[in-house]
Amino acid sequence: MATARKKGSFLGVLGVGRMGGALMGGVLSSKVLKPSQISIFDIDQDKVKHAKNKFGVKAAKELSCIIKDSRVVLLAIKPQFLIEVLKEIRPLVSSKQLFISIAAGISLGTLEKALYPAHCVRVMPNNPCLVGEGISAVVFGKGVSRANLGFVNKLFSSVGEVFETDEKFMDVITALSGSGPAFIYNVIEGLVEATEEFNLPPQLALKLAVQMVLGAAVTVKKTRLNPKELREMVTSPGGTTIEGLKVLERREFKKVLAEAIRAAAGRSKELSQEFSL
C-alpha cells in the first residue's frame, strides 16, 4: 500500500475518460491505493461527477490543484490536448513528482523537457485494459526511483500485463498493441457480417466469433506453440479450413495486416513530431 501524503493526494488523474477510469478502477480494486489517495480533474464535469460517484475519489476544482497537491500525476489526456496542458502546468511541477503519460505519440523527451525537474514515464496501454486483460509497454525516464518504478508496475498490472521496453520500439508497439485491438474487432465484425447470407442469427454469430478469437488467443498463450504450428493442426488436406486459407492467401491477407501496422506506426511517429516542444 502506498503511503498518502499529509496534504493532497498520492495520485492525481488528469482526464477521467475510459482509460483513466479503467486505471483508477484497477488500482482501487487491487487495493494499491484507497479512494482518499486519489484526486481527479477533467474539463468535462459530467465525467468528473460520474468518476467521483463511482470510485469515491476526490475531485479537484482546478487543474493547478492536481499538480500542486499530487505526488504522482497520471496524464490520461489525448495527445492533441496534452501539449497545451504541459505548457500550462510546467511552472507548477517539482523534482519530487512523477508524471505518467499514456498519450500516444508523445515522446519521453518531450515530457521530460516540458516537466523538468519532475521525473517522467511513458506508457502505452491498450483497450483491453478496460476489462483487466490489457498489456502496457512502459518506458522509464531518467532518475525514476525504485519506489516509483514499483508503483508504475502495480498501477498497470492492475489492468493486465506490463513490460518495460526501449522507446525506439514504441511506434510499432503502439501500432501492434495499441491499435491492434481495433483490427481484431474489425475482424470479428467482418466474420459476423459474412454469415448474414446464411441466415445465421447475428447474436449467435457474434458469440461464435468472439469465443473463437478468444479461444485461439488463449491456445497460443497456453500451449506456447508457434501460431503456424497451431494453424497446421487445423488445416487438413482437402478440408474446409484450407479452402478458406486459400482465399486469404490470394487476397494477401498478411500483407494487408503489414500495411495496417505500418500505417499506424507511421502515424505514431508523425504524432511525436507534431506534438513536440
Side-chain angles (χ1 to χ4, degrees):
M1 176 68 67
T3 303
R5 304 170 74 189
K6 292 182 179 180
K7 296 180 68 176
S9 301
F10 182 88
L11 177 66
V13 180
L14 294 185
V16 287
R18 292 179 180 176
M19 191 58 70
L23 289 165
M24 273 194 294
V27 81
L28 290 170
S29 63
S30 61
K31 302 188 186 305
V32 175
L33 293 176
K34 298 176 181 178
S36 61
Q37 294 176 285
I38 300 176
S39 292
I40 62 174
F41 179 82
D42 197 299
I43 58 172
D44 187 333
Q45 287 302 302
D46 288 336
K47 289 181 179 179
V48 171
K49 183 177 179 180
H50 175 74
K52 184 179 178 181
N53 292 337
K54 181 177 181 179
F55 300 115
V57 296
K58 297 178 290 185
K61 294 182 179 180
E62 297 179 356
L63 170 61
S64 59
C65 296
I66 289 282
I67 307 305
K68 292 177 181 178
D69 298 337
S70 302
R71 175 180 158 186
V72 179
V73 179
L74 174 65
L75 301 169
I77 305 171
K78 293 184 182 300
Q80 58 265 40
F81 304 124
L82 181 55
I83 292 297
E84 290 306 313
V85 170
L86 293 178
K87 292 177 181 178
E88 182 177 347
I89 67 178
R90 178 185 291 178
L92 305 175
V93 305
S94 79
S95 59
K96 296 181 180 179
Q97 288 180 298
L98 175 72
F99 285 81
I100 305 168
S101 170
I102 61 172
I106 305 295
S107 71
L108 186 62
T110 294
L111 294 169
E112 290 182 327
K113 181 179 179 181
L115 298 171
Y116 180 83
H119 302 291
C120 299
V121 178
R122 179 184 176 187
V123 185
M124 174 46 60
N126 66 358
N127 180 263
C129 287
L130 300 179
V131 294
E133 292 292 341
I135 187 164
S136 300
V138 181
V139 180
F140 291 105
K142 301 174 183 177
V144 176
S145 69
R146 185 178 296 274
N148 282 335
L149 288 171
F151 175 73
V152 171
N153 281 306
K154 286 180 181 179
L155 172 61
F156 290 92
S157 291
S158 72
V159 291
E161 297 185 25
V162 183
F163 69 97
E164 185 177 354
T165 188
D166 190 297
E167 189 167 29
K168 67 182 180 182
F169 297 123
M170 283 298 271
D171 290 332
V172 68
I173 288 172
T174 297
L176 176 59
S177 177
S179 301
F183 305 157
I184 299 303
Y185 300 148
N186 200 28
V187 168
I188 294 173
E189 184 181 20
L191 290 170
V192 172
E193 290 177 357
T195 65
E196 290 177 358
E197 65 179 278
F198 299 95
N199 296 317
L200 186 68
Q203 288 305 312
L204 175 57
L206 180 62
K207 181 177 181 179
L208 289 167
V210 168
Q211 185 57 41
M212 177 274 295
V213 171
L214 175 62
V218 172
T219 301
V220 173
K221 186 174 183 177
K222 289 191 174 182
T223 63
R224 297 185 180 181
L225 293 175
N226 187 290
K228 179 181 178 181
E229 295 177 86
L230 290 168
R231 187 192 73 222
E232 290 174 347
M233 287 183 188
V234 187
T235 309
S236 302
T240 60
T241 304
I242 197 168
E243 290 304 308
L245 287 173
K246 286 178 181 178
V247 175
L248 296 181
E249 289 173 3
R250 285 199 302 270
R251 297 299 180 91
E252 298 185 315
F253 183 61
K254 289 183 179 179
K255 285 188 177 181
V256 171
L257 291 176
E259 288 179 17
I261 293 295
R262 194 177 299 115
R267 183 54 183 152
S268 176
K269 187 174 182 178
E270 288 174 357
L271 286 173
S272 67
Q273 296 169 347
E274 290 176 18
F275 302 123
S276 62
L277 295 174

